[in-house]
Amino acid sequence: MIDYTTLKHSSNGMPTWDAYLGIVLNEASKKELFTAAELKQAAVNQINLPLSLKNLEYSSNSGEKNVAINRAGWALSDLKIAGLLHSSERNQYQITTLGKKILADYGLSLTRNTVHSLPEYKKHENSLKKKKNKTVNVAITKTDLSETQIQEWFDDKKDNIQDELLNCLINMNPYKFESLMVQLLAVMGYKGDEGQSLVTQKSNDGGIDGIINQDPLGLQKVYIQVKRYAPQNTVSRPEITSFSGAIKLRHADRGVFITTSSFTSGAEEAARALNITLVNGDMLTNLMLQYHVGVIVQQQYNTYKLDRDAFSD
């Protein structure tokens, strides 16, 4: 069973639709054919959701009412569009050769950025753009929207800005990218109250891109390495072990490895053994939104409910 708290999730703890991508693809690999309903249910069953989330339903929805099943369905749809799953005329799904390769490379760490970077998905997106040739604006009308649906609307907006943010990171100046990553960790509180943060020189950095002194004398240091990779270029075990070696040469025992892509399972295993904290593209953009680095808060909205105690005798 997968611990639901370790997955990307909404504010109420419910895994987001893209958290299901690797799970759905993994389930599809377990037998030759699944119906859509079987595959979605199998994916949900792999997560140890508490009953409150497992049984959560939309208050008004013309389609699938169960929120978890609905989100697994969105993941299934994207996997099919990207060519990782194939569906027959009888609505039975099977994993494709490409799907098996992507599953082997990414496993449960598969992200929407990787899926959306695949040729078939890009082809689909370009086809939609040609048909519409205009921006589709999502509007919340005066219909009876539940809080869950409103949250999903905001999650969708957040996903869009994260995609834009990741694209900017991938295409920005490498040295500025390093500076921005050091700035992010500083804002997150890594440098302490009186510490310092700095980016190493462009040449001869010895595999270290940034250093954070957590105290004024620099007795406690955090070393940083960053990789501005496209989604399909994963960080593998040798890069983690090489970074760990660079840290040990400086008589330190901790580091943060940041990438705009993702990590192989071998890289994750090595990082756990070598005391290296990993930050992939999804986590990175989420942290940048959370700490307002590289983004500006445009508008905030509040929802309200009556304080019944204020009116009681």
Side-chain angles (χ1 to χ4, degrees), residues 278-296:
L278 302 182
V279 179
N280 64 23
D282 272 347
M283 185 186 298
L284 172 59
T285 53
N286 192 54
L287 288 170
M288 292 180 73
L289 292 182
Q290 183 180 346
Y291 289 95
H292 303 164
V293 174
V295 295
I296 298 171

Side-chain angles (χ1 to χ4, degrees), residues 249-299:
L249 283 175
R250 290 162 172 78
H251 307 290
D253 64 350
R254 69 189 70 183
V256 179
F257 197 117
I258 302 173
T259 182
T260 50
S261 61
S262 56
F263 299 91
T264 64
S265 57
E268 292 175 347
E269 182 182 342
R272 285 192 292 270
L274 298 170
N275 198 28
I276 305 294
T277 298
L278 302 182
V279 179
N280 64 23
D282 272 347
M283 185 186 298
L284 172 59
T285 53
N286 192 54
L287 288 170
M288 292 180 73
L289 292 182
Q290 183 180 346
Y291 289 95
H292 303 164
V293 174
V295 295
I296 298 171
V297 177
Q298 188 175 37
Q299 184 60 273

Side-chain angles (χ1 to χ4, degrees), residues 162-260:
Q162 281 187 257
D163 283 340
E164 291 181 37
L165 186 55
L166 191 64
N167 186 58
C168 288
L169 292 173
I170 291 171
N171 291 289
M172 73 185 298
N173 174 279
Y175 193 67
K176 287 200 68 174
F177 175 67
E178 293 172 5
S179 298
L180 192 63
M181 295 303 96
V182 171
Q183 177 191 343
L184 172 63
L185 293 177
V187 171
M188 289 173 63
Y190 270 78
K191 72 174 184 177
D193 294 332
E194 299 180 40
Q196 294 177 313
S197 57
L198 59 101
V199 181
T200 57
Q201 295 179 356
K202 294 183 182 181
S203 61
N204 196 31
D205 61 14
I208 303 297
D209 297 319
I211 303 169
I212 290 181
N213 295 319
Q214 296 186 299
D215 60 276
L217 296 178
L219 299 176
Q220 290 184 300
K221 298 180 184 290
V222 176
Y223 290 95
I224 307 159
Q225 186 168 119
V226 300
K227 292 295 182 184
R228 196 173 47 92
Y229 283 171
Q232 63 270 24
N233 295 332
T234 55
V235 176
S236 57
R237 180 189 291 266
E239 289 170 283
I240 301 300
T241 55
S242 176
F243 177 45
S244 176
I247 292 172
K248 288 177 180 176
L249 283 175
R250 290 162 172 78
H251 307 290
D253 64 350
R254 69 189 70 183
V256 179
F257 197 117
I258 302 173
T259 182
T260 50

